[in-house]
Every structure is written in C-alpha cells, then in structure tokens.
Amino acid sequence: MNDATLSLAALATFEAASTDRGFPCEVTLVLTDDSEVQQLNRTWREVDAPTNVLSFSSGEPVGALQVDPRPLGDVVLAGETVVKEAGLKGVSVPDHVSHLVVHGVLHLLGHDHEQDDDAERMEALETRILAGLGISDPYAEAGAVAEVSP
C-alpha cells in the first residue's frame, strides 16, 4: 500500500460525497498502531479498546466559503487491527484501508451511521465510491453479488 492508494480513496470520497465540490479542503490521514488508537479511543470516546478507524473533525463547517484549504480533520487508522480485519474478511489490506479511508472521510463530511436509515445511506455511498475504485462491496454477504447504482 502507498500514499497514492490513500489519496485516491480520499479524493474519490470528496468527489462523490461533497455537497460543495468547489471548496478547497484537506484531510490528514494518520497510519498508526493499535496502542495509539486505543489511547485516542479511550480519551475521546471512553472506549478502552482499539478500533479500525477514528475520525476527528476540525470543527470547520463543510461547505463554508474560504480561499485557503480548510482542514476538515483527521482520519486515524490502527495498523494491526486493519491488517487483522483484512485477513478475517478475505480482502487485501489496500482494499480494506481504502474502505476505511472512505468511511472516515464520509464522517468528516457529516455522514454518520447512528440511525438505521443513515447507516443504509452511508453504506450505499461507501459501496458506490469503492465500486468506482474497483473494490468489491464490503457489506455484501460472502458469495453474494452486489448491485451498485451509478
């Protein structure tokens, strides 16, 4: 996996999900270990365990007019958890990382999955973005063929 893979996933997400495609923005992608993610998760979410991805918004409103690139926030990935999950799911690490980058950037753009309807919309958007990157639907059941709308 390389920086280009990460950038491509983030850029595809901005292209597909941004409500104002003209605003300049930036996201920081952080690749770290489970220990650091566990500490962040404990500090900010009161969950004392690592997780695959965390998104931290900068607090800047999405779509606000600004000339300089506006930092939307950080997407933090836990290395060991991501590699382990990819193996358990039978997908490549770059594909799984791309999915998590898409997921994290969508959170920074205001999407969430707290309610069932929101989760369905977010998953459908993730699936569409990933299909555009040539990555299979991460939510499809094993052996199922997913249909993705353009």
Side-chain angles (χ1 to χ4, degrees), residues 52 123 142:
N52 54 15
E123 288 175 10

Side-chain angles (χ1 to χ4, degrees), residues 71-89:
L72 290 183
D74 303 329
V75 175
V76 182
L77 299 163
E80 297 95 337
T81 295
V82 171
V83 169
K84 183 171 96 175
E85 286 178 351
L88 291 171
K89 293 173 181 279

